[in-house]
mmCIF file of all heavy atoms in Angstrom:
data_model
loop_
_atom_site.group_PDB
_atom_site.id
_atom_site.type_symbol
_atom_site.label_atom_id
_atom_site.label_comp_id
_atom_site.label_asym_id
_atom_site.label_seq_id
_atom_site.Cartn_x
_atom_site.Cartn_y
_atom_site.Cartn_z
ATOM 1 N N LEU A 21 -107.452 43.506 192.604
ATOM 2 C CA LEU A 21 -108.654 43.522 193.436
ATOM 3 C C LEU A 21 -108.371 42.917 194.796
ATOM 4 O O LEU A 21 -108.916 43.355 195.806
ATOM 5 C CB LEU A 21 -109.796 42.783 192.729
ATOM 6 C CG LEU A 21 -110.263 43.448 191.428
ATOM 7 C CD1 LEU A 21 -111.391 42.639 190.799
ATOM 8 C CD2 LEU A 21 -110.737 44.867 191.687
ATOM 9 N N GLY A 22 -107.495 41.918 194.836
ATOM 10 C CA GLY A 22 -107.136 41.328 196.112
ATOM 11 C C GLY A 22 -106.253 42.254 196.928
ATOM 12 O O GLY A 22 -106.285 42.228 198.160
ATOM 13 N N GLN A 23 -105.464 43.103 196.227
ATOM 14 C CA GLN A 23 -104.549 43.999 196.924
ATOM 15 C C GLN A 23 -105.245 45.248 197.438
ATOM 16 O O GLN A 23 -104.690 45.993 198.231
ATOM 17 C CB GLN A 23 -103.407 44.428 195.986
ATOM 18 C CG GLN A 23 -102.427 43.333 195.648
ATOM 19 C CD GLN A 23 -101.553 42.979 196.814
ATOM 20 O OE1 GLN A 23 -101.419 43.739 197.751
ATOM 21 N NE2 GLN A 23 -100.949 41.811 196.772
ATOM 22 N N ILE A 24 -106.481 45.499 196.983
ATOM 23 C CA ILE A 24 -107.127 46.753 197.327
ATOM 24 C C ILE A 24 -107.229 46.940 198.836
ATOM 25 O O ILE A 24 -106.966 48.017 199.361
ATOM 26 C CB ILE A 24 -108.516 46.843 196.651
ATOM 27 C CG1 ILE A 24 -109.109 48.246 196.850
ATOM 28 C CG2 ILE A 24 -109.474 45.818 197.176
ATOM 29 C CD1 ILE A 24 -110.351 48.467 195.998
ATOM 30 N N GLY A 25 -107.596 45.880 199.549
ATOM 31 C CA GLY A 25 -107.687 45.988 201.003
ATOM 32 C C GLY A 25 -106.329 46.205 201.627
ATOM 33 O O GLY A 25 -106.167 47.024 202.533
ATOM 34 N N LEU A 26 -105.306 45.496 201.103
ATOM 35 C CA LEU A 26 -103.958 45.618 201.656
ATOM 36 C C LEU A 26 -103.406 47.020 201.443
ATOM 37 O O LEU A 26 -102.922 47.659 202.366
ATOM 38 C CB LEU A 26 -103.031 44.593 200.993
ATOM 39 C CG LEU A 26 -101.540 44.744 201.317
ATOM 40 C CD1 LEU A 26 -101.289 44.561 202.795
ATOM 41 C CD2 LEU A 26 -100.725 43.764 200.498
ATOM 42 N N ILE A 27 -103.513 47.524 200.202
ATOM 43 C CA ILE A 27 -102.935 48.819 199.900
ATOM 44 C C ILE A 27 -103.685 49.928 200.635
ATOM 45 O O ILE A 27 -103.090 50.820 201.225
ATOM 46 C CB ILE A 27 -102.935 49.070 198.378
ATOM 47 C CG1 ILE A 27 -102.028 48.038 197.695
ATOM 48 C CG2 ILE A 27 -102.462 50.481 198.060
ATOM 49 C CD1 ILE A 27 -102.042 48.112 196.193
ATOM 50 N N ALA A 28 -105.011 49.859 200.613
ATOM 51 C CA ALA A 28 -105.791 50.858 201.340
ATOM 52 C C ALA A 28 -105.468 50.784 202.823
ATOM 53 O O ALA A 28 -105.403 51.798 203.515
ATOM 54 C CB ALA A 28 -107.273 50.638 201.101
ATOM 55 N N GLY A 29 -105.258 49.570 203.311
ATOM 56 C CA GLY A 29 -104.913 49.400 204.718
ATOM 57 C C GLY A 29 -103.568 50.013 205.048
ATOM 58 O O GLY A 29 -103.398 50.646 206.089
ATOM 59 N N LEU A 30 -102.612 49.858 204.120
ATOM 60 C CA LEU A 30 -101.299 50.448 204.368
ATOM 61 C C LEU A 30 -101.378 51.967 204.396
ATOM 62 O O LEU A 30 -100.645 52.625 205.119
ATOM 63 C CB LEU A 30 -100.319 50.006 203.271
ATOM 64 C CG LEU A 30 -99.762 48.585 203.393
ATOM 65 C CD1 LEU A 30 -99.004 48.212 202.139
ATOM 66 C CD2 LEU A 30 -98.872 48.463 204.604
ATOM 67 N N ILE A 31 -102.289 52.512 203.601
ATOM 68 C CA ILE A 31 -102.426 53.962 203.565
ATOM 69 C C ILE A 31 -103.179 54.467 204.787
ATOM 70 O O ILE A 31 -102.808 55.442 205.416
ATOM 71 C CB ILE A 31 -103.149 54.397 202.267
ATOM 72 C CG1 ILE A 31 -102.262 54.091 201.054
ATOM 73 C CG2 ILE A 31 -103.503 55.874 202.293
ATOM 74 C CD1 ILE A 31 -102.950 54.290 199.731
ATOM 75 N N ALA A 32 -104.273 53.785 205.145
ATOM 76 C CA ALA A 32 -105.167 54.307 206.167
ATOM 77 C C ALA A 32 -104.843 53.835 207.568
ATOM 78 O O ALA A 32 -105.127 54.506 208.539
ATOM 79 C CB ALA A 32 -106.608 53.934 205.829
ATOM 80 N N VAL A 33 -104.301 52.648 207.702
ATOM 81 C CA VAL A 33 -103.920 52.131 209.015
ATOM 82 C C VAL A 33 -102.440 51.819 208.959
ATOM 83 O O VAL A 33 -102.040 50.771 208.469
ATOM 84 C CB VAL A 33 -104.717 50.868 209.382
ATOM 85 C CG1 VAL A 33 -104.303 50.373 210.756
ATOM 86 C CG2 VAL A 33 -106.211 51.166 209.353
ATOM 87 N N PRO A 34 -101.588 52.706 209.414
ATOM 88 C CA PRO A 34 -100.148 52.563 209.214
ATOM 89 C C PRO A 34 -99.606 51.276 209.814
ATOM 90 O O PRO A 34 -99.828 50.989 210.973
ATOM 91 C CB PRO A 34 -99.560 53.780 209.943
ATOM 92 C CG PRO A 34 -100.710 54.728 210.081
ATOM 93 C CD PRO A 34 -101.934 53.882 210.198
ATOM 94 N N GLU A 35 -98.887 50.528 209.017
ATOM 95 C CA GLU A 35 -98.126 49.394 209.519
ATOM 96 C C GLU A 35 -96.793 49.935 210.039
ATOM 97 O O GLU A 35 -96.360 51.035 209.691
ATOM 98 C CB GLU A 35 -97.886 48.374 208.412
ATOM 99 C CG GLU A 35 -99.157 47.770 207.832
ATOM 100 C CD GLU A 35 -99.878 46.863 208.825
ATOM 101 O OE1 GLU A 35 -99.210 46.387 209.770
ATOM 102 O OE2 GLU A 35 -101.080 46.641 208.667
ATOM 103 N N LEU A 36 -96.132 49.150 210.830
ATOM 104 C CA LEU A 36 -94.877 49.618 211.412
ATOM 105 C C LEU A 36 -93.845 49.970 210.362
ATOM 106 O O LEU A 36 -93.059 50.905 210.531
ATOM 107 C CB LEU A 36 -94.324 48.550 212.355
ATOM 108 C CG LEU A 36 -95.257 48.095 213.479
ATOM 109 C CD1 LEU A 36 -94.534 47.098 214.369
ATOM 110 C CD2 LEU A 36 -95.736 49.278 214.297
ATOM 111 N N VAL A 37 -93.833 49.217 209.259
ATOM 112 C CA VAL A 37 -92.765 49.411 208.276
ATOM 113 C C VAL A 37 -92.996 50.609 207.390
ATOM 114 O O VAL A 37 -92.180 50.888 206.525
ATOM 115 C CB VAL A 37 -92.593 48.161 207.386
ATOM 116 C CG1 VAL A 37 -92.108 46.994 208.174
ATOM 117 C CG2 VAL A 37 -93.894 47.834 206.660
ATOM 118 N N GLN A 38 -94.071 51.376 207.571
ATOM 119 C CA GLN A 38 -94.296 52.485 206.666
ATOM 120 C C GLN A 38 -93.225 53.564 206.802
ATOM 121 O O GLN A 38 -93.050 54.397 205.929
ATOM 122 C CB GLN A 38 -95.676 53.091 206.869
ATOM 123 C CG GLN A 38 -95.759 54.147 207.954
ATOM 124 C CD GLN A 38 -96.989 55.015 207.762
ATOM 125 O OE1 GLN A 38 -98.089 54.518 207.706
ATOM 126 N NE2 GLN A 38 -96.789 56.299 207.629
ATOM 127 N N PHE A 39 -92.480 53.546 207.909
ATOM 128 C CA PHE A 39 -91.414 54.519 208.077
ATOM 129 C C PHE A 39 -90.206 54.181 207.214
ATOM 130 O O PHE A 39 -89.353 55.016 206.987
ATOM 131 C CB PHE A 39 -90.962 54.560 209.547
ATOM 132 C CG PHE A 39 -91.871 55.378 210.417
ATOM 133 C CD1 PHE A 39 -93.177 55.009 210.605
ATOM 134 C CD2 PHE A 39 -91.393 56.509 211.051
ATOM 135 C CE1 PHE A 39 -94.011 55.756 211.418
ATOM 136 C CE2 PHE A 39 -92.220 57.261 211.875
ATOM 137 C CZ PHE A 39 -93.538 56.884 212.051
ATOM 138 N N ALA A 40 -90.118 52.943 206.764
ATOM 139 C CA ALA A 40 -88.907 52.488 206.081
ATOM 140 C C ALA A 40 -88.996 52.700 204.585
ATOM 141 O O ALA A 40 -90.058 52.647 203.997
ATOM 142 C CB ALA A 40 -88.671 51.007 206.369
ATOM 143 N N ASP A 41 -87.835 52.938 203.954
ATOM 144 C CA ASP A 41 -87.785 52.974 202.492
ATOM 145 C C ASP A 41 -88.293 51.674 201.923
ATOM 146 O O ASP A 41 -88.887 51.624 200.859
ATOM 147 C CB ASP A 41 -86.334 53.170 202.016
ATOM 148 C CG ASP A 41 -85.877 54.611 202.199
ATOM 149 O OD1 ASP A 41 -86.720 55.464 202.494
ATOM 150 O OD2 ASP A 41 -84.672 54.848 202.063
ATOM 151 N N ILE A 42 -88.036 50.601 202.642
ATOM 152 C CA ILE A 42 -88.421 49.280 202.176
ATOM 153 C C ILE A 42 -89.924 49.188 201.960
ATOM 154 O O ILE A 42 -90.408 48.468 201.099
ATOM 155 C CB ILE A 42 -87.956 48.199 203.174
ATOM 156 C CG1 ILE A 42 -87.991 46.813 202.553
ATOM 157 C CG2 ILE A 42 -88.804 48.181 204.424
ATOM 158 C CD1 ILE A 42 -87.373 45.764 203.434
ATOM 159 N N ALA A 43 -90.700 49.951 202.714
ATOM 160 C CA ALA A 43 -92.149 49.930 202.549
ATOM 161 C C ALA A 43 -92.532 50.516 201.202
ATOM 162 O O ALA A 43 -93.392 49.991 200.506
ATOM 163 C CB ALA A 43 -92.822 50.714 203.672
ATOM 164 N N ASN A 44 -91.897 51.622 200.835
ATOM 165 C CA ASN A 44 -92.192 52.222 199.545
ATOM 166 C C ASN A 44 -91.787 51.299 198.412
ATOM 167 O O ASN A 44 -92.459 51.214 197.387
ATOM 168 C CB ASN A 44 -91.469 53.565 199.408
ATOM 169 C CG ASN A 44 -91.975 54.588 200.405
ATOM 170 O OD1 ASN A 44 -93.151 54.584 200.736
ATOM 171 N ND2 ASN A 44 -91.088 55.442 200.898
ATOM 172 N N GLN A 45 -90.675 50.596 198.587
ATOM 173 C CA GLN A 45 -90.273 49.631 197.574
ATOM 174 C C GLN A 45 -91.292 48.511 197.489
ATOM 175 O O GLN A 45 -91.642 48.048 196.414
ATOM 176 C CB GLN A 45 -88.899 49.051 197.916
ATOM 177 C CG GLN A 45 -87.775 50.056 197.812
ATOM 178 C CD GLN A 45 -86.479 49.483 198.319
ATOM 179 O OE1 GLN A 45 -86.386 48.292 198.585
ATOM 180 N NE2 GLN A 45 -85.477 50.311 198.459
ATOM 181 N N GLY A 46 -91.770 48.081 198.639
ATOM 182 C CA GLY A 46 -92.747 47.006 198.660
ATOM 183 C C GLY A 46 -94.003 47.380 197.908
ATOM 184 O O GLY A 46 -94.610 46.563 197.229
ATOM 185 N N MET A 47 -94.436 48.653 198.002
ATOM 186 C CA MET A 47 -95.598 49.119 197.271
ATOM 187 C C MET A 47 -95.290 49.164 195.781
ATOM 188 O O MET A 47 -96.038 48.676 194.956
ATOM 189 C CB MET A 47 -95.990 50.517 197.752
ATOM 190 C CG MET A 47 -96.480 50.557 199.177
ATOM 191 S SD MET A 47 -98.194 50.080 199.324
ATOM 192 C CE MET A 47 -98.982 51.548 198.640
ATOM 193 N N GLY A 48 -94.155 49.772 195.435
ATOM 194 C CA GLY A 48 -93.825 49.955 194.034
ATOM 195 C C GLY A 48 -93.468 48.673 193.329
ATOM 196 O O GLY A 48 -93.653 48.539 192.127
ATOM 197 N N LEU A 49 -92.919 47.699 194.071
ATOM 198 C CA LEU A 49 -92.455 46.474 193.449
ATOM 199 C C LEU A 49 -93.318 45.277 193.824
ATOM 200 O O LEU A 49 -92.876 44.147 193.780
ATOM 201 C CB LEU A 49 -90.992 46.208 193.856
ATOM 202 C CG LEU A 49 -90.006 47.336 193.542
ATOM 203 C CD1 LEU A 49 -88.608 46.932 193.942
ATOM 204 C CD2 LEU A 49 -90.045 47.690 192.079
ATOM 205 N N VAL A 50 -94.572 45.556 194.181
ATOM 206 C CA VAL A 50 -95.444 44.460 194.584
ATOM 207 C C VAL A 50 -95.606 43.444 193.467
ATOM 208 O O VAL A 50 -95.851 42.285 193.700
ATOM 209 C CB VAL A 50 -96.828 44.993 195.015
ATOM 210 C CG1 VAL A 50 -97.592 45.587 193.859
ATOM 211 C CG2 VAL A 50 -97.663 43.888 195.658
ATOM 212 N N PHE A 51 -95.412 43.885 192.231
ATOM 213 C CA PHE A 51 -95.615 42.989 191.103
ATOM 214 C C PHE A 51 -94.449 42.042 190.872
ATOM 215 O O PHE A 51 -94.471 41.236 189.961
ATOM 216 C CB PHE A 51 -95.863 43.809 189.835
ATOM 217 C CG PHE A 51 -96.890 44.877 190.026
ATOM 218 C CD1 PHE A 51 -96.633 46.183 189.669
ATOM 219 C CD2 PHE A 51 -98.122 44.577 190.592
ATOM 220 C CE1 PHE A 51 -97.584 47.177 189.873
ATOM 221 C CE2 PHE A 51 -99.077 45.561 190.792
ATOM 222 C CZ PHE A 51 -98.798 46.859 190.434
ATOM 223 N N LEU A 52 -93.403 42.140 191.696
ATOM 224 C CA LEU A 52 -92.254 41.263 191.515
ATOM 225 C C LEU A 52 -92.436 39.912 192.197
ATOM 226 O O LEU A 52 -91.605 39.041 192.055
ATOM 227 C CB LEU A 52 -90.994 41.944 192.061
ATOM 228 C CG LEU A 52 -90.591 43.229 191.352
ATOM 229 C CD1 LEU A 52 -89.288 43.744 191.923
ATOM 230 C CD2 LEU A 52 -90.473 43.027 189.870
#
């Protein structure tokens, strides 16, 4: 529930790192 704003924000308002593979890892491995 706390991540909902962050994740939706990453999808709807692109952060600079969204171009990087590292961004996709950050989404997929947020639970680490």
Side-chain angles (χ1 to χ4, degrees):
L21 296 180
Q23 290 288 341
I24 188 170
L26 171 62
I27 296 175
L30 283 171
I31 293 172
V33 181
E35 298 291 338
L36 304 183
V37 294
Q38 86 160 56
F39 280 63
D41 284 350
I42 196 172
N44 295 326
Q45 292 173 9
M47 294 279 287
L49 304 182
V50 67
F51 311 129
L52 297 184

